[in-house]
Each structure stands twice: as C-alpha cells, then as structure tokens.
Amino acid sequence: MLDKFGPQLRADLQQVYGVDLAVLFKARRYVHLLALIDGLPAHSRYMEAYLNDEEIATAILDSGQSEASGDYHPPLSSWTPELAMLTEIKDTLAASIATQVGVAGGKAKNPKPSPRPVTAIDRIKEQRSREAQQQIVDLFGGKRHSN
C-alpha cells in the first residue's frame, strides 16, 4: 500500500490529522495507522488514487463488490451544511424545471430526490412506518408482505 500510494497517504494524513506517516511507520503503530487510513474522507487523495488504480478496479469488478445493494446514501461524516444546502437547491431546481415542462404542455417526470445520509433513526422510522402500514392492510384483510 505504501509502495503504491505513499505520497497520497502522506499528504492526506498530514492534511486531515496533522500526522506524519513516517513517524507512525517508524514507531510501528500499524494498527493506529490503518485506523487513520480507514477514516480518511471519500474525497481524499488516497481514495482517488486507489479507485483509479486499474489493478484494484479489476479486482473489485471480478469479486462482485461493485454491485451495490440498495440505494446510495452519502456518509454522514462528509455531509456538511454546504452540501446539504446545495442538495436542497439541486432538488428545488429539478422540481421547478419539471413544473415548467408540465406547464408548457410537456410530459414531466417527477424528479427523484438527491441522496442524503441515512442514520439508525431514519431506518427505525422507516421500519415503524412499514409496520403501521401493514397493520392497516391487515385490518382490511390484506395479504402480509415480507420486508
């Protein structure tokens, strides 16, 4: 890893954590170093180099790890107030464009909202909502659906 991505890791560790890669490596703090690398943001130099490496890309595709299950949700750790505002602006603009197309007589699709982070609270709310909906269906003799 250091042979291939040493310069990127050195720069990222210094910028993000204020840590010198050489000091950690010489002190044999390998577990700590790996924890710091795992915590680097998705937009780090290391991740850019890693994801643009053809050998790694081939291995990821061959292993089937690239097949995402479900919808993408950005990590909360990279969700800044600026990103939240830009996402709102993008969604509002997309809805406005769809409305304009509809008013002009075109066939407008409802725009899909941009992805946002999902927390355990969001997942539990969604589960409770599904359970409440299922209870209503059950009241009217509907079939039970598995989630």
PDB file of all heavy atoms in Angstrom, residues 12 15 24 26 30 34 36 42-43 70 77 102 122 131:
ATOM      1  N   ASP A  12      -2.438  13.140   2.710  1.00  0.00           N
ATOM      2  CA  ASP A  12      -3.750  13.072   3.369  1.00  0.00           C
ATOM      3  C   ASP A  12      -3.629  13.016   4.885  1.00  0.00           C
ATOM      4  O   ASP A  12      -4.366  13.711   5.596  1.00  0.00           O
ATOM      5  CB  ASP A  12      -4.536  11.848   2.882  1.00  0.00           C
ATOM      6  CG  ASP A  12      -5.100  12.014   1.489  1.00  0.00           C
ATOM      7  OD1 ASP A  12      -5.250  13.172   1.051  1.00  0.00           O
ATOM      8  OD2 ASP A  12      -5.394  10.994   0.847  1.00  0.00           O
ATOM      9  N   GLN A  15      -2.669  16.440   6.100  1.00  0.00           N
ATOM     10  CA  GLN A  15      -3.732  17.433   5.960  1.00  0.00           C
ATOM     11  C   GLN A  15      -4.906  17.156   6.897  1.00  0.00           C
ATOM     12  O   GLN A  15      -5.406  18.059   7.563  1.00  0.00           O
ATOM     13  CB  GLN A  15      -4.235  17.472   4.521  1.00  0.00           C
ATOM     14  CG  GLN A  15      -5.345  18.474   4.318  1.00  0.00           C
ATOM     15  CD  GLN A  15      -5.886  18.471   2.890  1.00  0.00           C
ATOM     16  OE1 GLN A  15      -5.524  17.632   2.076  1.00  0.00           O
ATOM     17  NE2 GLN A  15      -6.767  19.398   2.597  1.00  0.00           N
ATOM     18  N   LEU A  24       4.692   7.534  12.317  1.00  0.00           N
ATOM     19  CA  LEU A  24       3.845   6.398  12.715  1.00  0.00           C
ATOM     20  C   LEU A  24       4.441   5.083  12.242  1.00  0.00           C
ATOM     21  O   LEU A  24       4.411   4.083  12.962  1.00  0.00           O
ATOM     22  CB  LEU A  24       2.429   6.559  12.154  1.00  0.00           C
ATOM     23  CG  LEU A  24       1.547   7.607  12.804  1.00  0.00           C
ATOM     24  CD1 LEU A  24       0.214   7.713  12.079  1.00  0.00           C
ATOM     25  CD2 LEU A  24       1.312   7.275  14.271  1.00  0.00           C
ATOM     26  N   LYS A  26       7.662   4.372  11.537  1.00  0.00           N
ATOM     27  CA  LYS A  26       8.887   4.050  12.278  1.00  0.00           C
ATOM     28  C   LYS A  26       8.580   3.599  13.698  1.00  0.00           C
ATOM     29  O   LYS A  26       9.288   2.759  14.257  1.00  0.00           O
ATOM     30  CB  LYS A  26       9.823   5.258  12.303  1.00  0.00           C
ATOM     31  CG  LYS A  26      10.527   5.495  10.984  1.00  0.00           C
ATOM     32  CD  LYS A  26      11.429   6.718  11.046  1.00  0.00           C
ATOM     33  CE  LYS A  26      11.999   7.002   9.666  1.00  0.00           C
ATOM     34  NZ  LYS A  26      12.785   8.234   9.631  1.00  0.00           N
ATOM     35  N   TYR A  30       1.149   0.390  13.449  1.00  0.00           N
ATOM     36  CA  TYR A  30       0.462  -0.051  12.246  1.00  0.00           C
ATOM     37  C   TYR A  30      -1.057  -0.076  12.407  1.00  0.00           C
ATOM     38  O   TYR A  30      -1.785   0.313  11.506  1.00  0.00           O
ATOM     39  CB  TYR A  30       0.964  -1.425  11.811  1.00  0.00           C
ATOM     40  CG  TYR A  30       2.472  -1.489  11.634  1.00  0.00           C
ATOM     41  CD1 TYR A  30       3.228  -2.445  12.285  1.00  0.00           C
ATOM     42  CD2 TYR A  30       3.133  -0.576  10.815  1.00  0.00           C
ATOM     43  CE1 TYR A  30       4.597  -2.508  12.126  1.00  0.00           C
ATOM     44  CE2 TYR A  30       4.510  -0.632  10.655  1.00  0.00           C
ATOM     45  CZ  TYR A  30       5.242  -1.602  11.310  1.00  0.00           C
ATOM     46  OH  TYR A  30       6.584  -1.641  11.155  1.00  0.00           O
ATOM     47  N   LEU A  34      -3.553   2.167  10.225  1.00  0.00           N
ATOM     48  CA  LEU A  34      -4.658   1.627   9.423  1.00  0.00           C
ATOM     49  C   LEU A  34      -5.994   2.250   9.822  1.00  0.00           C
ATOM     50  O   LEU A  34      -6.840   2.513   8.958  1.00  0.00           O
ATOM     51  CB  LEU A  34      -4.726   0.106   9.557  1.00  0.00           C
ATOM     52  CG  LEU A  34      -3.612  -0.649   8.831  1.00  0.00           C
ATOM     53  CD1 LEU A  34      -3.671  -2.136   9.154  1.00  0.00           C
ATOM     54  CD2 LEU A  34      -3.679  -0.417   7.331  1.00  0.00           C
ATOM     55  N   LEU A  36      -6.406   5.297  10.942  1.00  0.00           N
ATOM     56  CA  LEU A  36      -6.425   6.638  10.359  1.00  0.00           C
ATOM     57  C   LEU A  36      -6.721   6.581   8.860  1.00  0.00           C
ATOM     58  O   LEU A  36      -7.505   7.376   8.337  1.00  0.00           O
ATOM     59  CB  LEU A  36      -5.092   7.354  10.605  1.00  0.00           C
ATOM     60  CG  LEU A  36      -4.770   7.718  12.049  1.00  0.00           C
ATOM     61  CD1 LEU A  36      -3.376   8.328  12.142  1.00  0.00           C
ATOM     62  CD2 LEU A  36      -5.812   8.656  12.622  1.00  0.00           C
ATOM     63  N   ALA A  42     -13.883  10.232   1.769  1.00  0.00           N
ATOM     64  CA  ALA A  42     -14.032   9.612   0.449  1.00  0.00           C
ATOM     65  C   ALA A  42     -13.388  10.447  -0.656  1.00  0.00           C
ATOM     66  O   ALA A  42     -13.038   9.914  -1.706  1.00  0.00           O
ATOM     67  CB  ALA A  42     -15.508   9.390   0.145  1.00  0.00           C
ATOM     68  N   HIS A  43     -13.201  11.732  -0.425  1.00  0.00           N
ATOM     69  CA  HIS A  43     -12.614  12.591  -1.453  1.00  0.00           C
ATOM     70  C   HIS A  43     -11.113  12.815  -1.237  1.00  0.00           C
ATOM     71  O   HIS A  43     -10.533  13.734  -1.781  1.00  0.00           O
ATOM     72  CB  HIS A  43     -13.350  13.941  -1.489  1.00  0.00           C
ATOM     73  CG  HIS A  43     -13.258  14.701  -0.207  1.00  0.00           C
ATOM     74  ND1 HIS A  43     -14.134  14.475   0.829  1.00  0.00           N
ATOM     75  CD2 HIS A  43     -12.401  15.641   0.222  1.00  0.00           C
ATOM     76  CE1 HIS A  43     -13.820  15.262   1.840  1.00  0.00           C
ATOM     77  NE2 HIS A  43     -12.766  15.986   1.498  1.00  0.00           N
ATOM     78  N   GLY A  70     -29.073  -1.871  -2.838  1.00  0.00           N
ATOM     79  CA  GLY A  70     -29.899  -0.741  -2.418  1.00  0.00           C
ATOM     80  C   GLY A  70     -29.416   0.578  -2.993  1.00  0.00           C
ATOM     81  O   GLY A  70     -28.534   0.625  -3.832  1.00  0.00           O
ATOM     82  N   SER A  77     -20.452  11.558   7.803  1.00  0.00           N
ATOM     83  CA  SER A  77     -19.189  12.234   8.115  1.00  0.00           C
ATOM     84  C   SER A  77     -18.774  13.237   7.052  1.00  0.00           C
ATOM     85  O   SER A  77     -18.007  14.156   7.335  1.00  0.00           O
ATOM     86  CB  SER A  77     -18.073  11.206   8.319  1.00  0.00           C
ATOM     87  OG  SER A  77     -17.906  10.433   7.146  1.00  0.00           O
ATOM     88  N   GLY A 102     -44.140  20.799 -17.413  1.00  0.00           N
ATOM     89  CA  GLY A 102     -45.561  20.452 -17.337  1.00  0.00           C
ATOM     90  C   GLY A 102     -46.455  21.610 -17.732  1.00  0.00           C
ATOM     91  O   GLY A 102     -47.439  21.427 -18.452  1.00  0.00           O
ATOM     92  N   ASP A 122     -33.359   7.076  11.088  1.00  0.00           N
ATOM     93  CA  ASP A 122     -34.113   7.033   9.825  1.00  0.00           C
ATOM     94  C   ASP A 122     -34.574   5.611   9.505  1.00  0.00           C
ATOM     95  O   ASP A 122     -35.715   5.399   9.083  1.00  0.00           O
ATOM     96  CB  ASP A 122     -33.248   7.559   8.671  1.00  0.00           C
ATOM     97  CG  ASP A 122     -32.842   9.002   8.846  1.00  0.00           C
ATOM     98  OD1 ASP A 122     -33.676   9.807   9.301  1.00  0.00           O
ATOM     99  OD2 ASP A 122     -31.682   9.324   8.522  1.00  0.00           O
ATOM    100  N   GLU A 131     -44.436  -1.050   9.338  1.00  0.00           N
ATOM    101  CA  GLU A 131     -45.247  -1.878  10.249  1.00  0.00           C
ATOM    102  C   GLU A 131     -46.638  -1.278  10.432  1.00  0.00           C
ATOM    103  O   GLU A 131     -47.633  -2.009  10.452  1.00  0.00           O
ATOM    104  CB  GLU A 131     -44.532  -2.014  11.597  1.00  0.00           C
ATOM    105  CG  GLU A 131     -43.298  -2.889  11.525  1.00  0.00           C
ATOM    106  CD  GLU A 131     -42.440  -2.825  12.777  1.00  0.00           C
ATOM    107  OE1 GLU A 131     -42.762  -2.050  13.713  1.00  0.00           O
ATOM    108  OE2 GLU A 131     -41.419  -3.546  12.820  1.00  0.00           O
TER     109      GLU A 131
END
